[in-house]
Amino acid sequence: MKKLLIILLTLGPIVLFTGCISHYCIRGDSPQLDSNLTHFLHQWRDNTTAPIRDGKYTHIYLNGDGSQGKKLALTFDDSPDENNTDKVLDILKFYRIKASFFMIGAPMVDQNITVTKRAFDEGHLVLNHSFTHPHFSKIDKERIVDELNATSHRIENITGKHPLLFRPPYGSINQEVMDTINDQGYTTILWSLDSLDWALQDKDAITENVITHVQNGDIILMHSSRANHASVEALPGIIEQLQSKGYTFLRLDDMLGIKAYR
Ligand SMILES: [Zn+2]
């Protein structure tokens, strides 16, 4: 009885705080977020995490192993662009942190080739985030295969490496989409902590959200494209506060113990 009480006292706040079991959770909230958007977001999180918890989706990660200590993976979506991607790379270089970039294939031309190559050369992962950023659950199988192949082809041309990790735009997946992604040999990487930098244009709100919700093993979703000035502004403070709490930052392959490239 005493043991049970201790377990309940230990688990209680975690369950109450996150509203779900921590391994199958996507966290991140802000009082600044519109209530309709919050509702939609929570519905999407429930619908997405339930099949993972039930074992229906395979080769998919929300987070790393929380029992492995204070490790985190910073992930940046939607680059390359001619402005913010370089700024994010400058910040990561300053703090000597390696991160993972889920890049879009279509903008990987002209001067964006340079920044894509830079990310790879500086030790970050350059990974697949589709060619034109569509909702995968709204396009057919052939188009999904084209989106995956065209992007990996460009990444391989620039870096010499064929990525094995994929993040679906908007986290838009269903069973059919997952089957197609798996058939093509990719592992799907979602996230366990949404910085909400895509919705909040306020660096303090983004920082506050990350710092209050962070847990060991989190895969943190951020963005580094043209529209994401607030992410760039928030990033140094987020890194410093997390480092002062004892967290270290790893690339996805190192944190999850999986291969990033073929
Ligand atoms: Zn995206």
Side-chain angles (χ1 to χ4, degrees), residues 120-256:
F120 180 81
D121 287 345
E122 293 187 358
H124 309 290
L125 295 180
V126 174
L127 304 168
N128 191 324
H129 190 44
S130 84
F131 199 75
T132 61
H133 209 271
H135 284 89
F136 270 32
S137 57
K138 294 180 185 168
I139 58 175
D140 64 23
K141 191 179 165 173
E142 286 69 32
R143 170 96 190 275
I144 290 176
V145 172
D146 285 347
E147 289 274 341
L148 291 169
N149 287 341
T151 305
S152 288
H153 188 68
R154 282 208 170 159
I155 291 175
E156 192 166 1
N157 276 344
I158 296 169
T159 68
K161 298 280 189 183
H162 178 100
L164 291 173
L165 308 183
F166 168 72
R167 175 171 282 163
Y170 315 101
S172 168
I173 48 172
N174 56 33
Q175 189 66 60
E176 218 181 325
V177 169
M178 283 305 302
D179 291 344
T180 307
I181 296 169
N182 289 346
D183 281 350
Q184 295 300 308
Y186 293 93
T187 294
T188 298
I189 307 288
L190 295 178
W191 53 89
S192 50
L193 177 50
D194 184 349
S195 71
L196 294 170
D197 63 348
W198 52 274
L200 302 166
Q201 292 302 318
D202 175 335
K203 83 172 173 105
D204 294 331
I206 296 167
T207 307
E208 168 88 11
N209 170 36
V210 172
I211 302 304
T212 34
H213 294 104
V214 71
Q215 290 180 7
N216 292 2
D218 265 338
I219 296 173
I220 302 177
L221 170 67
M222 296 191 75
H223 292 80
S224 55
S225 72
R226 191 175 310 173
N228 301 106
H229 302 289
S231 321
V232 176
E233 288 167 26
L235 187 57
I238 289 174
I239 291 171
E240 285 180 19
Q241 289 196 49
L242 291 175
Q243 282 182 333
S244 75
K245 288 172 183 284
Y247 287 102
T248 55
F249 301 93
L250 297 173
R251 300 192 325 193
L252 285 167
D253 53 347
D254 295 328
M255 187 168 87
L256 301 173

Side-chain angles (χ1 to χ4, degrees), residues 51-66:
I52 303 173
R53 186 177 52 239
D54 298 344
K56 289 179 180 156
Y57 296 166
T58 60
H59 303 93
I60 184 164
Y61 287 88
L62 288 170
N63 51 256
D65 180 355

